[in-house]
Amino acid sequence: MPEAIDAIDRRILRALQRNGRMSNVELANEVGLSPSPCLRRVRLLEESGVIDQYVAVLNGPRIGLGLTVFVRVWFKTQDAEITQQFAETVRKFPEVVECYLTTGECDAIMRVVTADLHAYWRFQADHLTRIPSVQSVKTDVPMETIKRSYELPLL
Amino acid sequence: MPEAIDAIDRRILRALQRNGRMSNVELANEVGLSPSPCLRRVRLLEESGVIDQYVAVLNGPRIGLGLTVFVRVWFKTQDAEITQQFAETVRKFPEVVECYLTTGECDAIMRVVTADLHAYWRFQADHLTRIPSVQSVKTDVPMETIKRSYELPLL
DNA sequence: GATGAAAGCTTGTCCTA
DNA sequence: TAGGACAAGCTTTCATC
């Protein structure tokens, strides 16, 4: 199933990372193929899981979601059951758009999106720190964006 | 320019966050409009900047980019010029897919994507810590994904 | 990988509520 | 002010080379 990805596939992926809605005809021109083989390659990339999904990226501030907070979480214990319970709870919070278990200093990291600091604070006080497995949290609040890209650094 | 977003717009946004490549006909069915007014709304959402862009999300591990690292950065000084220089350098590194200036404990946070720990280490030793403004860094390495969503929590 | 043809989609115009 | 119908021109997609 993992057929090799060649130079043309990489051009397809680069183009679709920048504009996931470009037409197949436009894409074919850009990568130097005719539409049929281009579409065949795109479908293969989708079916083999190289392309995970296509998404519209929304402008948070324009829809009243102006704040992103990175949260580091420490658990009471690293116990598998506790961790499982944490995972299940966190998946249900729409504000938590990403969450990972980590090894090292803290036990989990997450990205939380809310309207503003006040809304974040309510989320933290009312939901996050009430999860029984959570011992403590620390937050880092982005004040200015230097870079935000949805393109993976293809070789 | 900020015309109000109504319930139908929110349905459109929800659908396009999940599948940014769905056809307008399919979208129109899903939100309960005929294709013309649906397309008109989508174009307005694009032009007004509510929809920022459409992207294909790739599966990192499937293309040899298996590691994401969250990096906290401390500067030597918070001087505007130093910060500017840091921003310009960081924007040029394709491994750095996100970077924000923060207030609080550290000075910047970034997300770095590489093939593996070894490649990350090379990036840190050869590039990141050689930026003159960087005093020190700390990393958090996700070991397991609990949640990763590209959907903002629309009300 | 290219061609060509059928089916379906996008998108503009005009009409209606 | 906003949705719907319709038609022209493109795109997608598949069989065939």
Side-chain angles (χ1 to χ4, degrees), chain B residues 65-76:
Chain B
L65 292 168
L67 188 74
T68 294
V69 179
F70 288 91
V71 186
R72 282 174 293 146
V73 181
W74 282 259
F75 295 160
K76 285 182 180 141

PDB file of all heavy atoms in Angstrom, chain B residues 65-76:
ATOM      1  N   LEU B  65       7.350  12.461   7.834  1.00  0.00           N
ATOM      2  CA  LEU B  65       7.472  13.570   8.792  1.00  0.00           C
ATOM      3  C   LEU B  65       6.726  13.169  10.054  1.00  0.00           C
ATOM      4  O   LEU B  65       5.606  13.615  10.298  1.00  0.00           O
ATOM      5  CB  LEU B  65       6.913  14.851   8.182  1.00  0.00           C
ATOM      6  CG  LEU B  65       7.748  15.386   7.027  1.00  0.00           C
ATOM      7  CD1 LEU B  65       7.007  16.467   6.266  1.00  0.00           C
ATOM      8  CD2 LEU B  65       9.090  15.930   7.551  1.00  0.00           C
ATOM      9  N   GLY B  66       7.353  12.320  10.830  1.00  0.00           N
ATOM     10  CA  GLY B  66       6.658  11.678  11.935  1.00  0.00           C
ATOM     11  C   GLY B  66       6.685  12.429  13.240  1.00  0.00           C
ATOM     12  O   GLY B  66       5.987  12.072  14.172  1.00  0.00           O
ATOM     13  N   LEU B  67       7.499  13.455  13.353  1.00  0.00           N
ATOM     14  CA  LEU B  67       7.659  14.103  14.659  1.00  0.00           C
ATOM     15  C   LEU B  67       7.213  15.553  14.672  1.00  0.00           C
ATOM     16  O   LEU B  67       7.611  16.348  13.823  1.00  0.00           O
ATOM     17  CB  LEU B  67       9.134  14.050  15.093  1.00  0.00           C
ATOM     18  CG  LEU B  67       9.386  14.520  16.526  1.00  0.00           C
ATOM     19  CD1 LEU B  67       8.909  13.488  17.531  1.00  0.00           C
ATOM     20  CD2 LEU B  67      10.842  14.844  16.754  1.00  0.00           C
ATOM     21  N   THR B  68       6.391  15.868  15.655  1.00  0.00           N
ATOM     22  CA  THR B  68       6.055  17.265  15.938  1.00  0.00           C
ATOM     23  C   THR B  68       6.626  17.594  17.299  1.00  0.00           C
ATOM     24  O   THR B  68       6.540  16.777  18.219  1.00  0.00           O
ATOM     25  CB  THR B  68       4.528  17.449  15.981  1.00  0.00           C
ATOM     26  OG1 THR B  68       4.010  17.212  14.674  1.00  0.00           O
ATOM     27  CG2 THR B  68       4.150  18.848  16.411  1.00  0.00           C
ATOM     28  N   VAL B  69       7.237  18.736  17.438  1.00  0.00           N
ATOM     29  CA  VAL B  69       7.771  19.166  18.733  1.00  0.00           C
ATOM     30  C   VAL B  69       7.245  20.568  19.020  1.00  0.00           C
ATOM     31  O   VAL B  69       7.226  21.419  18.126  1.00  0.00           O
ATOM     32  CB  VAL B  69       9.323  19.192  18.715  1.00  0.00           C
ATOM     33  CG1 VAL B  69       9.863  19.655  20.060  1.00  0.00           C
ATOM     34  CG2 VAL B  69       9.875  17.807  18.378  1.00  0.00           C
ATOM     35  N   PHE B  70       6.773  20.772  20.246  1.00  0.00           N
ATOM     36  CA  PHE B  70       6.409  22.120  20.686  1.00  0.00           C
ATOM     37  C   PHE B  70       7.607  22.703  21.409  1.00  0.00           C
ATOM     38  O   PHE B  70       8.164  22.074  22.310  1.00  0.00           O
ATOM     39  CB  PHE B  70       5.200  22.080  21.614  1.00  0.00           C
ATOM     40  CG  PHE B  70       3.927  21.751  20.888  1.00  0.00           C
ATOM     41  CD1 PHE B  70       3.499  20.438  20.759  1.00  0.00           C
ATOM     42  CD2 PHE B  70       3.176  22.765  20.304  1.00  0.00           C
ATOM     43  CE1 PHE B  70       2.326  20.136  20.066  1.00  0.00           C
ATOM     44  CE2 PHE B  70       2.004  22.466  19.607  1.00  0.00           C
ATOM     45  CZ  PHE B  70       1.582  21.156  19.492  1.00  0.00           C
ATOM     46  N   VAL B  71       8.018  23.873  20.995  1.00  0.00           N
ATOM     47  CA  VAL B  71       9.232  24.483  21.547  1.00  0.00           C
ATOM     48  C   VAL B  71       8.885  25.807  22.202  1.00  0.00           C
ATOM     49  O   VAL B  71       8.207  26.638  21.586  1.00  0.00           O
ATOM     50  CB  VAL B  71      10.261  24.752  20.421  1.00  0.00           C
ATOM     51  CG1 VAL B  71      11.573  25.256  21.013  1.00  0.00           C
ATOM     52  CG2 VAL B  71      10.478  23.503  19.572  1.00  0.00           C
ATOM     53  N   ARG B  72       9.331  25.976  23.430  1.00  0.00           N
ATOM     54  CA  ARG B  72       9.242  27.293  24.072  1.00  0.00           C
ATOM     55  C   ARG B  72      10.611  27.944  23.985  1.00  0.00           C
ATOM     56  O   ARG B  72      11.627  27.284  24.196  1.00  0.00           O
ATOM     57  CB  ARG B  72       8.807  27.152  25.531  1.00  0.00           C
ATOM     58  CG  ARG B  72       7.297  26.893  25.669  1.00  0.00           C
ATOM     59  CD  ARG B  72       6.898  26.599  27.098  1.00  0.00           C
ATOM     60  NE  ARG B  72       7.472  25.334  27.534  1.00  0.00           N
ATOM     61  CZ  ARG B  72       7.881  25.084  28.770  1.00  0.00           C
ATOM     62  NH1 ARG B  72       7.782  26.016  29.709  1.00  0.00           N
ATOM     63  NH2 ARG B  72       8.388  23.912  29.078  1.00  0.00           N
ATOM     64  N   VAL B  73      10.602  29.222  23.681  1.00  0.00           N
ATOM     65  CA  VAL B  73      11.864  29.931  23.438  1.00  0.00           C
ATOM     66  C   VAL B  73      11.986  31.114  24.392  1.00  0.00           C
ATOM     67  O   VAL B  73      11.011  31.822  24.632  1.00  0.00           O
ATOM     68  CB  VAL B  73      11.911  30.456  21.980  1.00  0.00           C
ATOM     69  CG1 VAL B  73      13.223  31.183  21.710  1.00  0.00           C
ATOM     70  CG2 VAL B  73      11.698  29.323  20.990  1.00  0.00           C
ATOM     71  N   TRP B  74      13.190  31.297  24.935  1.00  0.00           N
ATOM     72  CA  TRP B  74      13.502  32.480  25.739  1.00  0.00           C
ATOM     73  C   TRP B  74      14.516  33.327  24.986  1.00  0.00           C
ATOM     74  O   TRP B  74      15.480  32.783  24.432  1.00  0.00           O
ATOM     75  CB  TRP B  74      14.088  32.060  27.089  1.00  0.00           C
ATOM     76  CG  TRP B  74      13.055  31.596  28.067  1.00  0.00           C
ATOM     77  CD1 TRP B  74      12.523  32.311  29.103  1.00  0.00           C
ATOM     78  CD2 TRP B  74      12.423  30.299  28.125  1.00  0.00           C
ATOM     79  NE1 TRP B  74      11.593  31.555  29.791  1.00  0.00           N
ATOM     80  CE2 TRP B  74      11.508  30.312  29.215  1.00  0.00           C
ATOM     81  CE3 TRP B  74      12.523  29.127  27.365  1.00  0.00           C
ATOM     82  CZ2 TRP B  74      10.722  29.213  29.551  1.00  0.00           C
ATOM     83  CZ3 TRP B  74      11.740  28.038  27.696  1.00  0.00           C
ATOM     84  CH2 TRP B  74      10.852  28.094  28.775  1.00  0.00           C
ATOM     85  N   PHE B  75      14.275  34.644  24.943  1.00  0.00           N
ATOM     86  CA  PHE B  75      15.191  35.549  24.241  1.00  0.00           C
ATOM     87  C   PHE B  75      16.237  36.098  25.198  1.00  0.00           C
ATOM     88  O   PHE B  75      16.023  36.115  26.418  1.00  0.00           O
ATOM     89  CB  PHE B  75      14.428  36.745  23.650  1.00  0.00           C
ATOM     90  CG  PHE B  75      13.452  36.377  22.572  1.00  0.00           C
ATOM     91  CD1 PHE B  75      12.416  37.255  22.251  1.00  0.00           C
ATOM     92  CD2 PHE B  75      13.562  35.187  21.861  1.00  0.00           C
ATOM     93  CE1 PHE B  75      11.517  36.941  21.249  1.00  0.00           C
ATOM     94  CE2 PHE B  75      12.659  34.875  20.857  1.00  0.00           C
ATOM     95  CZ  PHE B  75      11.634  35.752  20.561  1.00  0.00           C
ATOM     96  N   LYS B  76      17.305  36.611  24.623  1.00  0.00           N
ATOM     97  CA  LYS B  76      18.316  37.294  25.441  1.00  0.00           C
ATOM     98  C   LYS B  76      17.770  38.612  25.973  1.00  0.00           C
ATOM     99  O   LYS B  76      17.997  38.980  27.116  1.00  0.00           O
ATOM    100  CB  LYS B  76      19.576  37.522  24.621  1.00  0.00           C
ATOM    101  CG  LYS B  76      20.349  36.206  24.449  1.00  0.00           C
ATOM    102  CD  LYS B  76      21.638  36.377  23.693  1.00  0.00           C
ATOM    103  CE  LYS B  76      22.333  35.022  23.587  1.00  0.00           C
ATOM    104  NZ  LYS B  76      22.983  34.815  22.278  1.00  0.00           N
TER     105      LYS B  76
END
